[in-house]
Amino acid sequence: MGGAVSAGEDNDELIDNLKEAQYIRTELVEQAFRAIDRADYYLEEFKDNAYKDLAWKHGNIHLSAPCIYSEVMEALDLQPGLSFLNLGSGTGYLSSMVGLILGPFGVNHGVELHSDVIEYAKQKLDFFIKTSDSFDKFEFCEPLFVTGNCLEISPDCTQYDRVYCGAGVQKEHEDYMKNLLKVGGILVMPLEEKLTKITRTGPSAWETKKILAVSFAPLILPNHADSGKSRLVHLPPVAVRSLQDLARIAIRGTIKKIIHQEAMSKNGNGLKNPPRFKRRRVRRRRMETIVFLDKEVFASRISNPSDDNNSEDLEDERQEEEETKPSELKPDPPVNFLRQKVLSLPLPDPLKYYLLYYREK
């Protein structure tokens, strides 16, 4: 299988390449992609391939290529507080990125056919919450996963603001997918070999936009051979936050504001992300983009008006590397200011760790 963008050396460089190729176009999507390391969702023995723009499959575990996830995230037009349903939620990688944007008052549900993949997704989610400093930079909408066939969702389920299906949808199931949407909602799915965005503009009105030529494995049809009966999938109820949980969200938000104010008074400006070490310059060039998914292939051209200046770019890059070589050191590890502030408070340890979601040191 081939990728649409160059391989990166780490997660940030992969995102840089996706931005360069215009797959990532908005700041919210970029922040979500940078916050979650794609390699964390790979099995250890396959992590060398994590930053290539390739799909990965091992048994029932599957990750789409980063360029596909980028297009999906951009097309969903996510906003805080929305409800999201991921059909074929897999490892939970996409659901977790979505949760960073939805915030604490969103709804984040996933349906996955394979129970072993559900367990894998829960392990990866737990690892992210307990170990990632990125978790403290966002107010997270934790995804909830249920096992079942997404074509057997109970007809009395709630409708969602955003829906994504990660498998090829047959034309006869298009209306079924549309009915999962609220009015004003957006559905993104592979339909007839095209990644398709459908917006519900009214009770019976729709706008359809073809985004990208793709090839996904088709949805697996329900098998009723054993019992002859449908096994309805009941999605999680939309729960109301407890007062205790609301208090935690409010306290964490207040501490973040204090940190921001302290940084403003100290530096004379707003709290900014710590500066990154200077990355090597990405050399832009004209390329034919070939993406293989399953047995199909699509091609598109990424054009660049700077092709004629390639030799000048090479010379500029060489000089830039020479100038920065003495200071090209690894960056200092990022500081988790929220964790530091919480741990410094005159509070009992159990309360401190509750505010930190019982995360590991």
Side-chain angles (χ1 to χ4, degrees), residues 132-134 136 334-341 356 359:
S132 174
D133 281 335
S134 291
D136 285 330
V335 178
N336 189 325
F337 294 103
L338 178 66
R339 175 183 289 277
Q340 286 188 350
K341 181 65 74 173
L356 294 171
R359 294 175 63 221

Side-chain angles (χ1 to χ4, degrees), residues 115-264:
S115 58
D116 60 325
V117 179
I118 290 275
E119 290 306 310
Y120 186 86
K122 289 179 178 178
Q123 291 171 14
K124 296 303 180 183
L125 175 63
D126 189 58
F127 178 81
F128 170 69
I129 291 175
K130 288 185 175 179
T131 66
S132 174
D133 281 335
S134 291
F135 179 80
D136 285 330
K137 297 177 183 176
F138 298 81
E139 292 300 338
F140 188 51
C141 182
E142 184 174 337
L144 299 175
F145 306 113
V146 296
T147 307
N149 190 306
C150 66
L151 292 174
E152 296 184 297
I153 293 175
S154 175
D156 61 356
C157 80
T158 184
Q159 292 177 316
Y160 291 79
D161 296 301
R162 301 290 186 268
V163 178
Y164 170 65
C165 181
V169 177
Q170 296 89 344
K171 187 66 177 177
E172 59 265 30
H173 295 131
E174 180 180 355
D175 288 342
Y176 171 90
M177 295 293 176
K178 288 179 176 179
N179 287 330
L180 297 171
L181 274 186
K182 294 178 181 178
V183 173
I186 294 173
L187 164 66
V188 178
M189 62 180 177
L191 180 67
E192 297 182 314
E193 305 299 313
K194 298 286 193 303
L195 189 64
T196 304
K197 175 181 178 179
I198 299 176
T199 304
R200 187 169 195 172
T201 57
S204 302
W206 315 86
E207 288 182 358
T208 301
K209 178 183 178 182
K210 304 294 184 182
I211 301 172
L212 197 67
V214 294
S215 180
F216 279 63
L219 283 170
I220 296 176
L221 301 179
N223 183 2
H224 304 148
D226 296 337
S227 62
K229 296 181 180 179
S230 173
R231 301 188 182 104
L232 288 181
V233 175
H234 296 279
L235 296 171
V238 179
V240 177
R241 290 273 195 177
S242 68
L243 288 176
Q244 189 178 39
D245 210 18
L246 291 172
R248 173 164 58 184
I249 293 167
I251 292 169
R252 284 167 60 92
T254 300
I255 293 173
K256 288 179 180 180
K257 288 180 182 178
I258 292 171
I259 294 170
H260 180 79
Q261 291 167 356
E262 289 176 348
M264 286 184 66

Side-chain angles (χ1 to χ4, degrees), residues 16-142:
D16 291 343
N17 293 339
L18 290 168
K19 285 187 65 182
E20 179 77 12
Q22 289 294 301
Y23 285 103
I24 292 178
R25 299 179 290 277
T26 59
E27 185 177 351
L28 271 179
V29 172
E30 179 186 350
Q31 289 175 348
F33 268 86
R34 291 198 189 277
I36 297 182
D37 196 320
R38 181 176 166 89
D40 290 342
Y41 288 79
Y42 276 66
L43 293 170
E44 193 65 38
E45 59 267 34
F46 299 103
K47 286 190 175 183
D48 288 346
N49 294 319
Y51 306 122
K52 298 176 182 177
D53 191 24
L54 300 173
W56 173 63
K57 192 175 191 308
H58 181 78
N60 292 325
I61 301 170
H62 177 264
L63 279 168
S64 293
C67 66
I68 300 298
Y69 282 136
S70 304
E71 290 287 3
V72 169
M73 289 281 286
E74 292 287 356
L76 285 170
D77 189 21
L78 297 160
Q79 303 294 330
L82 297 181
S83 56
F84 172 67
L85 177 61
N86 190 353
L87 303 176
S89 52
T91 65
Y93 172 64
L94 177 67
S95 291
S96 292
M97 288 195 293
V98 169
L100 297 173
I101 298 176
L102 296 183
F105 305 112
V107 174
N108 194 355
H109 294 164
V111 180
E112 170 56 45
L113 183 63
H114 304 288
S115 58
D116 60 325
V117 179
I118 290 275
E119 290 306 310
Y120 186 86
K122 289 179 178 178
Q123 291 171 14
K124 296 303 180 183
L125 175 63
D126 189 58
F127 178 81
F128 170 69
I129 291 175
K130 288 185 175 179
T131 66
S132 174
D133 281 335
S134 291
F135 179 80
D136 285 330
K137 297 177 183 176
F138 298 81
E139 292 300 338
F140 188 51
C141 182
E142 184 174 337

